[in-house]
Amino acid sequence: MTTDLETLLTALYVKIDDDIGGTRWMGRPPRLSDSELLCLAVAQSLLGHRSEARWLRFTRKRLSGMFPYLPQQSGYNKRLRAALPLVKRLIRELAMDSDLWFDNHWIVDSTPVPCGMSRPMVQRSNLAGWAGYGYCASHSRFFWGLRLYLVCTPTGMPMLWALANPKIGEREVLASMLEIDADLVAEREGILLISDEGFAGKAFEKDLAGQGIELLRPSRKREKARYGEPMLKKVRQLIESVNDTLKGQLDLEQHGGRTFEGVAIRVAQRILAMAAAIWHNRKTGAPITRSLIAYDS
């Protein structure tokens, strides 16, 4: 089986129709189906089009055979924001449909999602109250926006994800994520969760142990070297490479969202694109699981 964008979108379309199927609409169904909408959103992220208006113009000219009907920009934006629950469900469905679903080694990290670059922008933004100021130690910079928390396998397949105000503690956000998806954790035995020292805390680790999760992290200053710490340098590279895929290839920081719904769907859209590529690469036996090169042209 060949590995290219058209093959990926065809397989994804069939997957959505088979697993999600049906219709969410009363009365006359829309001319652009939910399956086509999600495939269109994945293609937009993989091809690196940040502007929805430019993306629709490009699709009408280059991909009209795959998408015979396209709405106007406002209609596409409205449909996409309304499809956020569907996008979340599809991310989980893709993970469950791969052998990576049974991997009990998880990595967790948070990364900045800037939403504004100027003081006037921050004061006028509709995100005020949800977004906030934070600091990124990896790049030694302050930012205004959100943090994306991603729990994934070492290959990058998303298991859990969330957006949170950067002022909220990392342990608090992760604890909430695990609580919301308690069934997912309960059905697994012996989860090894790999993190950086930002998730350190005796009470937190005790709570994780009660859920059957062992935390593997670097030791902090004035703390004895922890078991398994020497292997964390290589694992840390895996975590950084997943973030690099989202930021460098899928333009996570250039999402362009200006409202709660806009930011949420644009971040989810990029996570879905990564999950779809990983899913398809595993199905086709591609040599590099998280490679997007075959789908960006």
Side-chain angles (χ1 to χ4, degrees):
M1 183 181 290
T2 57
T3 302
D4 55 32
L5 182 61
E6 184 174 352
T7 306
L8 166 62
L9 295 180
T10 301
L12 186 62
Y13 180 90
V14 173
K15 173 68 177 175
I16 299 170
D17 258 15
D18 288 347
D19 288 8
I20 297 177
T23 179
R24 299 181 297 125
W25 306 92
M26 299 293 290
R28 180 182 299 177
R31 294 178 65 183
L32 183 72
S33 68
D34 285 339
S35 302
E36 291 174 315
L37 175 69
L38 297 190
C39 288
L40 190 62
V42 168
Q44 179 186 356
S45 293
L46 290 174
L47 292 177
H49 286 261
R50 305 171 191 169
S51 166
E52 292 176 349
R54 290 183 179 181
W55 165 239
L56 293 174
R57 289 199 298 270
F58 174 87
T59 306
R60 289 189 178 94
K61 185 175 181 180
R62 303 288 183 87
L63 302 175
S64 58
M66 300 183 67
F67 303 101
Y69 170 77
L70 291 172
Q72 297 299 316
Q73 187 272 336
S74 59
Y76 174 64
N77 182 272
K78 184 178 180 180
R79 284 285 308 278
L80 202 54
R81 285 183 293 166
L84 179 59
L86 202 59
V87 172
K88 292 179 178 179
R89 180 180 171 186
L90 182 55
I91 293 171
R92 178 62 57 84
E93 293 284 350
L94 292 176
M96 293 174 62
D97 191 36
S98 76
D99 59 328
L100 300 172
W101 179 251
F102 304 100
D103 192 341
N104 279 5
H105 292 73
W106 291 355
I107 56 178
V108 59
D109 196 18
S110 67
T111 191
V113 181
C115 299
M117 301 300 291
S118 66
R119 183 62 181 168
M121 167 68 186
V122 170
Q123 292 174 333
R124 295 194 303 265
S125 176
N126 291 326
L127 294 168
W130 185 39
Y133 284 101
Y135 180 72
C136 177
S138 299
H139 300 89
S140 301
R141 58 165 176 156
F142 289 93
F143 68 95
W144 186 85
L146 303 163
R147 273 194 174 276
L148 170 63
Y149 289 80
L150 182 65
V151 178
C152 61
T153 67
T155 54
M157 177 61 82
M159 293 291 171
L160 308 170
W161 65 276
L163 288 167
N165 187 299
K167 294 187 181 298
I168 302 176
E170 292 182 318
R171 296 189 298 272
E172 183 180 348
V173 175
L174 180 57
S176 297
M177 293 168 64
L178 295 173
E179 181 181 356
I180 291 172
D181 280 285
D183 292 342
L184 174 62
V185 176
E187 67 186 18
R188 299 166 182 271
E189 294 184 2
I191 296 176
L192 180 64
L193 184 62
I194 305 168
S195 72
D196 59 23
E197 63 267 21
F199 293 88
K202 290 184 178 180
F204 178 64
E205 292 185 38
K206 185 177 180 180
D207 290 340
L208 291 180
Q211 301 175 62
I213 302 174
E214 179 184 357
L215 184 67
L216 180 61
R217 62 166 177 82
S219 57
R220 294 182 292 184
K221 292 181 179 179
R222 302 186 183 90
E223 186 180 15
K224 292 182 179 179
R226 294 169 58 90
Y227 174 77
E229 189 170 353
M231 65 171 286
L232 285 176
K233 289 184 178 180
K234 292 183 179 180
V235 175
R236 186 64 196 173
Q237 292 176 352
L238 289 175
I239 298 174
E240 292 297 335
S241 66
V242 173
N243 289 338
D244 185 64
T245 298
L246 287 169
K247 292 187 174 185
Q249 296 179 269
L250 296 174
D251 298 324
L252 176 67
E253 294 195 358
Q254 286 76 44
H255 54 82
R258 293 293 178 264
T259 64
F260 176 89
E261 297 84 359
V263 174
I265 187 56
R266 284 170 173 82
V267 173
Q269 182 180 355
R270 285 155 172 81
I271 295 174
L272 174 60
M274 184 174 71
I278 293 172
W279 168 77
H280 191 254
N281 286 340
R282 297 294 286 194
K283 292 291 185 182
T284 57
I288 304 177
T289 301
R290 204 174 61 254
S291 175
L292 308 183
I293 296 175
Y295 312 116
D296 63 2
S297 61

